[in-house]
Amino acid sequence: MHTHENTVRLMPDVASQAQPHLAGALDWVGMDGIEVPALFDAGDGSVQRSSAQVGAFVNLTRPDKRGIHMSRLYLLVDEYLSAKPVDAAMLHSLLRAFLDSHKDLANRARISIRFDQLVRRAALRSSNSGWRAYPVSIEASLGEEGFRLELGTEVVYSSTCPASAALSRQLIQEQFARDFAAGQPLDHAAVLAWLGSEKGIVATPHAQRSVARLLVRFAEDASLDLIGLLDRVEQALGTPVQTAVKREDEQAFALANGGNLMFCEDAARRIQRALDADDRIVDFHVRLEHQESLHPHDAVAYASKGVAGGYGNGSGRV
């Protein structure tokens, strides 16, 4: 009868068998899509548990070695993410553990964590509130160049076309001129009724749901303040999508859209200015997508902080 020790000792390990005809170092080897719970404080002091997808990798520096120890990476991911909130210190320790488990094989490690974070958002006018699920991606790496940490998320907002708004106003002016002859006295009640009718407001500008995809790199001592980042960007845009909506909230949203007409270039510059003003952010990359209701294609703009060697400067990131 075999004991557990004997069974393990007799198991073949083909991964340890070198293949000289296929020798070569590899940039990254590991696993992606690991299913694990993740604990995360989005910046409000409340730790939330989410279902996450994780990628865990190390490089393979030894051309003569066939593979890495994937089970070691998996067990470390399970150990750390199941018990500790995701922050810079925890990720640094986890990546160091990756490298310690592959001392003779690797000198670089990286991890990616993807999940949705629920954040409660207040209505614009009423006392109601509702939940928004923001996608979160956290990327961390450790190597000879040091520790690097990035946070990605997206903001969904409404964008109303300034050109379409101007054309709509022109049509309303022309309709007014037809309905109220020049030189004739204006009746205040009649004009007020006209402004509130479909006959008077004959055109409305086109608007669309739009998406700003954000990637930021925080300063070394900064926390992963997701809610602070979302608040800054949503306030800069002025028209984030809403959750619980009563008529007074919808009217307030219409007013916000009218006061924040923007092309995708305008939206990109608003976010660029807002993130430039945050000293905790050392670099950022933004992709804005206005999913046009006028066209079958999208209007797209990109923005970055413009630091040397950063996300911009022709890096090709899209």
Side-chain angles (χ1 to χ4, degrees):
M1 181 176 179
H2 293 297
T3 66
H4 175 69
E5 181 181 352
N6 289 334
T7 303
V8 172
R9 185 167 59 249
L10 295 174
M11 286 182 177
D13 183 9
V14 297
S16 65
Q17 299 172 8
Q19 291 187 309
H21 62 290
L22 289 176
L26 297 175
D27 294 339
W28 297 108
V29 185
M31 296 160 287
D32 202 7
I34 300 171
E35 299 171 349
V36 65
L39 301 168
F40 184 63
D41 177 1
D44 58 358
S46 175
V47 176
Q48 188 177 126
R49 183 184 294 270
S50 301
S51 174
Q53 297 278 320
V54 174
F57 296 88
V58 294
N59 64 336
L60 181 55
T61 60
R62 293 276 301 274
D64 60 318
K65 293 296 184 180
R66 189 172 186 180
I68 68 165
H69 307 291
M70 291 196 185
S71 63
R72 297 180 186 178
L73 299 183
Y74 180 95
L75 293 173
L76 286 167
V77 166
D78 184 39
E79 175 187 346
Y80 277 74
L81 269 74
S82 296
K84 304 175 183 179
V86 176
D87 58 22
M90 185 274 269
L91 292 171
H92 190 280
S93 296
L94 176 55
L95 291 174
R96 173 53 58 192
F98 280 6
L99 293 178
D100 288 344
S101 72
H102 288 75
K103 283 184 178 178
D104 59 335
L105 298 177
N107 58 18
R108 289 184 293 125
R110 68 181 176 91
I111 187 170
S112 64
I113 307 170
R114 302 174 298 277
F115 57 93
D116 286 343
Q117 183 77 14
L118 285 169
V119 179
R120 183 167 282 279
R121 290 306 205 187
L124 290 174
R125 288 286 183 269
S126 70
S127 60
N128 299 308
S129 64
W131 292 101
R132 282 279 289 114
Y134 292 92
V136 178
S137 64
I138 297 172
E139 303 267 351
S141 62
L142 180 64
E144 295 175 351
E145 68 282 1
F147 178 67
R148 185 183 179 97
L149 179 61
E150 299 174 340
L151 173 67
T153 189
E154 66 180 42
V155 168
V156 183
Y157 61 101
S158 173
S159 60
T160 301
C161 176
S164 182
L167 294 170
S168 298
R169 291 193 298 269
Q170 182 184 46
L171 290 173
I172 293 169
Q173 288 175 320
E174 291 172 353
Q175 186 65 41
F176 182 88
R178 284 192 293 270
D179 292 347
F180 297 91
Q184 297 296 318
L186 293 176
D187 179 83
H188 180 272
V191 174
L192 190 63
W194 183 90
L195 288 171
S197 69
E198 292 183 2
K199 181 183 178 183
I201 309 303
V202 294
T204 59
H206 73 82
Q208 51 272 323
R209 187 180 297 170
S210 304
V211 182
R213 294 184 172 87
L214 315 169
L215 182 64
V216 303
R217 186 156 59 88
F218 286 106
E220 190 169 333
D221 58 345
S223 62
L224 293 172
D225 186 4
L226 173 69
I227 294 177
L229 174 64
L230 295 170
D231 287 347
R232 183 175 286 273
V233 171
E234 291 184 351
Q235 290 167 12
L237 293 168
T239 56
V241 296
Q242 300 297 299
T243 55
V245 175
K246 302 289 284 185
R247 278 179 294 178
E248 59 264 40
D249 303 312
E250 186 167 359
Q251 187 177 63
F253 189 67
L255 183 63
N257 275 267
N260 291 280
L261 305 175
M262 52 187 154
F263 297 119
C264 63
E265 297 94 331
D266 301 323
R269 292 186 176 113
R270 288 187 181 204
I271 296 176
Q272 186 179 52
R273 176 175 294 183
L275 297 185
D276 269 335
D278 192 335
D279 293 336
R280 300 170 303 169
I281 297 175
V282 298
D283 200 5
F284 61 83
H285 178 272
V286 185
R287 183 187 192 275
L288 295 100
E289 181 181 293
H290 286 195
Q291 299 168 355
E292 296 284 319
S293 60
L294 175 64
H295 306 291
H297 52 265
D298 300 329
V300 179
Y302 297 86
S304 65
K305 192 172 181 67
V307 299
Y311 293 133
N313 300 301
S315 65
R317 180 184 291 273
V318 292

